[in-house]
Amino acid sequence: MTEKEKARRRREIVSGKQIWINENEEDEGEEKDVLSVLGESIKCPFCYMLLDRPVTMSCGHNFCLKCFKKWIGQGKDTCVKCRSQINRQMIDQPRINLVLVTAIRLVKESRKNVALRRPQTAYPQVNQEDRPDNPFIREGAAKKAGMANASSGRIFVTIPTDHFGPILAENDPERNQGVLVGESWTHRLNCRQWGVHWPHVAGIAGQAKYGAQSVVLSGGYEDDEDHGEWFLYTGSGGRDLSGNKRTNKDQSFTNSNEALRVSCKQGYPVRVVRSHKEKRSSYAPQDGLRYDGVYRIEKCWRKLGIQGYKVCRYLFVRCDNEPAPWTSDEHGDKPRPLPEIPELEEALGIFERAHTSSWDYDEEEGRWKWKKPPPPSQQRVIGASLKDGKRTKKTPRKSQETSVKGTLLKGFCCVLCKNILTLPMTTPCAHNFCKACLEEAFKGKAFIKERKCHNGRKLRSQKNFMKCPTCPLDISEFLQNPQVNRELEDAIGRLREEFYESDNNKEDANEEVIEEDEKPSNDNKL
């Protein structure tokens, strides 16, 4: 290295634009550091593998969702590590800890030397404040609860309403990235603005002779079953319109139900949105709506429903190139065998696709793609406004260069104070809080509410409902004996030490270079 190159490199280090020569070697060393820090902390005590769909007990221990369900299925109701009693809410409806999912995915990406300096797109949140137009209620309109009488704001994507498959970057002039798996919205109208699901109320978007483009899982029918990568969906119709969610007549393959059957016949990809209203699913978001990628309908049939009427049923199987929000895998889906459905033995009119799918997996390219041309659109393109006949594109911001450890640390943040978790506690709804923040949120609240009659006579005491700070789930039972998540605390503590130690080493190296640069050279001597 010549003297000029040395001087240039010193200037780059001082200005913060240092270029590392052995960047790949440093990345490999950093990957080993991350695995050595988090390896034991994020392993399941049952299968001794990295946690897959991790669930956190009230005692603070973590397990794979599949292993946990197998343990509960054996009639066990105590933690396998500490033998403490498992919360009844966790047994009935285990929730996936998305913070651990993000951490495990980053570790897996670091194994394959994936550059983590770009913005993480696993769980992008569409902020309402950043949008130029939001759903609004017109002046003079009748006042109704919630968003029942709201109007949709500007559409941000340039696609027709009958667009099939994922929404790509070329259809997203606002951000130039498309709609990513894991994006979430507050209302159905926000979901409409990004073209993921167009109807305001209906759960199925489609046309009887053309096919269905998207569905929403919102817990409308008792027969629905959600298993993440596949689910059983109940068609529309047969409802009592008085609002009690009862079925009072048989469903048939007409209208939206026929649209789903057409998509099954042709093998079209169907966009799937999960809503927080689906309380029975472990894969539903805690609030709002979340885009979970595209699925393909493999079979459809009719059966006698729980309420005694015939309902249309559909088997959806995930087929997206992006990983699901609840899994720690860094790759998308691959073709998988169809699950066994016990109810098919008594099903009526089973329909299964007889020819190749329009949307299928390409073994050579290793991804899902259109094997046949997508159906031509029958609707006009609705989208962002054009200026001078050209789409305006926003250039993505350059991401700040952060280490793997720094990226992981940012993921371990408290929902309330937005700082890195200290003495982390994981509630049954899989939200993570600092111990001090959670205690402050419920300070002065009693678990039992004493009641008295108007004449002073004491009534039976009543349990006080304590809602989670971020979701409507009652966590009063958890708060009676809250436990710190020691595994998560240990991982954060060791990660913090490693991160700050590496930062200090870099600062010391920079100071040495600066001091060397400030020394007078021999050329200046007289």
Side-chain angles (χ1 to χ4, degrees):
M1 185 180 292
T2 63
E3 292 297 325
K4 288 185 178 180
E5 290 175 344
K6 290 180 180 179
R8 179 175 59 83
R9 184 170 179 182
R10 283 196 295 269
R11 287 195 298 271
E12 289 171 345
I13 293 174
V14 173
S15 62
K17 299 180 180 179
Q18 180 180 5
I19 300 175
W20 297 98
I21 297 176
N22 298 327
E23 186 174 359
N24 292 335
E25 295 179 2
E26 291 189 3
D27 286 344
E28 291 176 2
E30 192 174 34
E31 292 163 12
K32 293 178 181 178
D33 291 342
V34 173
L35 291 174
S36 64
V37 170
L38 292 182
E40 297 300 325
S41 301
I42 55 176
K43 283 187 177 180
C44 175
F46 284 104
C47 59
Y48 296 102
M49 302 291 289
L50 284 177
L51 290 166
D52 182 32
R53 297 167 177 79
V55 293
T56 304
M57 304 297 101
S58 56
C59 56
H61 294 125
N62 305 295
F63 308 96
C64 299
L65 177 62
K66 185 177 180 180
C67 298
F68 174 73
K69 286 185 174 180
K70 186 176 180 180
W71 176 257
I72 296 299
Q74 296 174 358
K76 310 292 180 61
D77 59 354
T78 56
C79 175
V80 69
K81 296 189 73 174
C82 64
R83 299 301 176 184
S84 61
Q85 193 73 21
I86 299 177
N87 192 303
R88 191 69 220 174
Q89 289 177 333
M90 180 61 66
I91 294 176
D92 295 337
Q93 188 182 3
R95 289 285 183 176
I96 296 172
N97 194 333
L98 295 181
V99 171
L100 287 177
V101 170
T102 306
I104 296 168
R105 184 177 292 178
L106 287 174
V107 171
K108 285 189 173 182
E109 287 181 352
S110 68
R111 278 180 174 174
K112 297 195 174 183
N113 202 18
V114 177
L116 294 177
R117 294 188 175 94
R118 65 176 183 269
Q120 295 300 313
T121 58
Y123 306 104
Q125 180 75 24
V126 181
N127 297 322
Q128 302 295 330
E129 295 81 10
D130 297 337
R131 294 175 178 170
D133 292 323
N134 287 321
F136 61 95
I137 299 177
R138 298 186 303 273
E139 294 184 5
K143 293 184 179 180
K144 293 185 178 181
M147 303 292 289
N149 205 20
S151 299
S152 174
R154 183 165 66 89
I155 305 301
F156 297 107
V157 291
T158 55
I159 60 170
T161 56
D162 56 0
H163 173 80
F164 284 91
I167 299 173
L168 307 177
E170 61 193 38
N171 303 121
D172 182 10
E174 286 290 324
R175 304 175 302 179
N176 195 28
Q177 68 177 17
V179 178
L180 306 175
V181 171
E183 289 200 39
S184 57
W185 301 273
T186 307
H187 304 291
R188 288 278 287 268
L189 288 173
N190 302 130
C191 187
R192 169 187 169 86
Q193 287 183 276
W194 291 97
V196 179
H197 187 75
W198 291 94
H200 292 190
V201 179
I204 303 172
Q207 302 78 33
K209 296 182 179 180
Y210 188 66
Q213 295 84 33
S214 60
V215 297
V216 174
L217 294 176
S218 57
Y221 291 88
E222 298 179 49
D223 304 83
D224 291 348
E225 296 180 23
D226 191 1
H227 299 271
E229 275 73 17
W230 65 274
F231 61 87
L232 297 179
Y233 189 77
T234 306
S236 64
R239 274 288 186 80
D240 183 357
L241 299 180
S242 62
N244 55 18
K245 293 189 176 182
R246 293 177 182 172
T247 305
N248 60 359
K249 61 181 179 180
D250 295 338
Q251 293 183 358
S252 60
F253 286 110
T254 57
N255 301 328
S256 298
N257 295 340
E258 177 62 20
L260 288 174
R261 188 163 68 166
V262 170
S263 291
C264 174
K265 178 181 178 181
Q266 301 297 334
Y268 293 153
V270 180
R271 295 185 298 274
V272 172
V273 177
R274 281 181 170 84
S275 170
H276 71 285
K277 294 181 180 180
E278 177 53 277
K279 303 299 182 184
R280 302 184 301 268
S281 172
S282 299
Y283 302 90
Q286 301 299 332
D287 49 13
L289 301 104
R290 185 187 66 213
Y291 172 56
D292 287 345
V294 295
Y295 286 65
R296 203 171 58 184
I297 306 174
E298 302 297 341
K299 295 181 181 180
C300 56
W301 62 93
R302 294 176 74 205
K303 73 148 193 171
L304 195 65
I306 295 176
Q307 297 185 8
Y309 294 91
K310 294 177 182 177
V311 294
C312 299
R313 300 280 278 168
Y314 304 88
L315 171 61
F316 281 73
V317 179
R318 198 172 191 275
C319 54
D320 201 289
N321 292 315
E322 294 185 53
W326 54 82
T327 180
S328 54
D329 295 337
E330 66 273 22
H331 300 295
D333 299 294
K334 290 186 178 180
R336 54 172 60 89
L338 298 182
E340 295 182 2
I341 311 297
E343 68 181 56
L344 286 177
E345 297 178 0
E346 301 178 358
L348 305 173
I350 301 176
F351 178 83
E352 193 169 359
R353 188 169 46 256
H355 52 80
T356 57
S357 301
S358 300
W359 176 266
D360 210 344
Y361 189 77
D362 192 308
E363 294 290 346
E364 295 181 357
E365 299 183 16
R367 66 185 184 92
W368 297 87
K369 58 182 289 188
W370 287 100
K371 290 287 189 175
K372 301 177 183 178
S377 174
Q378 299 177 345
Q379 306 291 333
R380 65 183 181 87
V381 174
I382 300 177
S385 59
L386 304 179
K387 294 183 179 180
D388 300 329
K390 298 180 180 180
R391 293 178 183 173
T392 58
K393 295 184 178 180
K394 291 185 178 180
T395 56
R397 297 178 180 177
K398 293 183 178 179
S399 60
Q400 296 180 351
E401 293 188 356
T402 57
S403 66
V404 178
K405 299 186 185 72
T407 308
L408 283 171
L409 272 176
K410 288 182 179 179
F412 293 119
C413 289
C414 174
V415 180
L416 294 176
C417 66
K418 308 301 181 184
N419 296 324
I420 296 174
L421 291 162
T422 55
L423 296 176
M425 288 185 172
T426 306
T427 60
C429 50
H431 288 123
N432 298 283
F433 305 93
C434 300
K435 181 179 179 180
C437 296
L438 196 61
E439 290 177 349
E440 183 65 25
F442 294 95
K443 186 178 180 180
K445 294 185 179 180
F447 295 104
I448 301 297
K449 185 191 299 182
E450 299 293 342
R451 299 187 301 162
K452 288 185 179 181
C453 189
H454 63 278
N455 58 5
R457 185 170 60 90
K458 285 188 177 182
L459 300 176
R460 182 182 297 176
S461 58
Q462 189 177 22
K463 178 183 174 183
N464 203 0
F465 184 85
M466 294 185 176
K467 189 171 67 171
C468 172
T470 56
C471 75
L473 187 71
D474 180 21
I475 59 172
S476 56
E477 186 178 345
F478 168 79
L479 292 174
Q480 291 180 14
N481 185 25
Q483 298 292 327
V484 175
N485 191 337
R486 296 298 179 186
E487 295 178 359
L488 188 59
E489 181 190 22
D490 180 59
I492 294 173
R494 293 162 61 184
L495 192 63
R496 191 197 296 263
E497 291 177 4
E498 294 279 340
F499 176 63
Y500 288 125
E501 183 180 348
S502 61
D503 273 5
N504 292 334
N505 292 338
K506 289 182 181 179
E507 289 178 3
D508 294 341
N510 290 342
E511 289 177 1
E512 291 178 2
V513 173
I514 293 172
E515 290 176 0
E516 182 181 347
D517 194 32
E518 290 177 351
K519 289 181 180 179
S521 61
N522 295 330
D523 297 338
N524 295 332
K525 292 182 180 179
L526 295 175

